């Protein structure tokens, strides 16, 4: 299933997405390298992008990644209580989707398709499916 994404993102949309993503990775306690990998950026680009006023471009894939991470964060907050909601992404998971790996590692390795799979998995849990 393809996801339709409008071409071009306003500077305001980009700024809001980067700020929200930055807040999520901070809440999750991710090191710079993992946050950058999730956003599909180099460490140095993520250092610049997380500062207000970043003027660099983001690809459609990067915007989808930021959006998916924000959605995963919201789903975790709805499904789990704190502090598990913020720790889950970094905890080894024995479920079939993760095979003992940390969800964050599967997302970095699997790219956007895995982001969307994790999001669907959490939505299914939340829905009781």
């Amino acid at each position: 299933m393809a996801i339709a994404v409008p071409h071009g993102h306003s500077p305001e949309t980009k700024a809001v997405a980067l700020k929200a993503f930055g807040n999520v990775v901070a809440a999750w306690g991710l090191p710079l390298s993992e946050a950058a990998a999730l956003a599909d950026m180099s460490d140095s680009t993520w250092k610049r992008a997380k500062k207000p006023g970043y003027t660099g471009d983001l690809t459609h894939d990067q915007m989808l990644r930021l959006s998916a991470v924000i959605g995963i964060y919201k789903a975790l907050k709805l499904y789990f209580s704190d502090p598990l909601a913020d720790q889950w992404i970094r905890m080894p998971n024995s479920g079939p989707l993760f095979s003992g790996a940390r969800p964050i590692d599967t997302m970095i390795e699997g790219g956007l398709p895995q982001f969307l799979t994790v999001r669907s998995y959490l939505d299914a849990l939340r829905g009781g499916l």
Side-chain angles (χ1 to χ4, degrees):
M1 178 174 96
I3 298 175
V5 178
H7 290 292
H9 302 285
S10 74
E12 295 81 15
T13 300
K14 181 176 65 176
V16 167
L18 285 168
K19 181 175 178 161
F21 177 83
N23 289 341
V24 168
V25 297
W28 285 349
L30 299 183
L32 178 94
S33 60
E34 288 180 349
L38 273 183
D40 195 26
M41 296 177 182
S42 68
D43 289 4
S44 60
T45 299
W46 170 238
K47 279 185 195 174
R48 289 191 310 274
K50 68 182 185 173
K51 294 178 183 165
Y54 176 69
T55 57
D57 287 333
L58 296 178
T59 66
H60 296 301
D61 180 80
Q62 287 170 321
M63 284 296 289
L64 286 171
R65 284 168 173 260
L66 300 183
S67 176
V69 165
I70 294 161
I72 289 166
Y73 174 81
K74 288 179 181 177
L76 287 168
K77 287 292 185 182
L78 289 169
Y79 190 69
F80 296 115
S81 59
D82 288 326
L84 182 57
D86 288 335
Q87 295 170 349
W88 183 88
I89 202 84
R90 293 180 285 112
M91 297 172 66
N93 191 312
S94 61
L97 188 59
F98 308 107
S99 303
R102 301 182 316 153
I104 179 84
D105 296 328
T106 70
M107 290 166 56
I108 290 169
E109 185 178 315
L112 187 57
Q114 181 68 1
F115 284 52
L116 300 177
T117 300
V118 170
R119 173 72 193 272
S120 295
Y121 171 80
L122 291 168
D123 287 345
L125 284 178
R126 205 164 44 87
L129 301 176

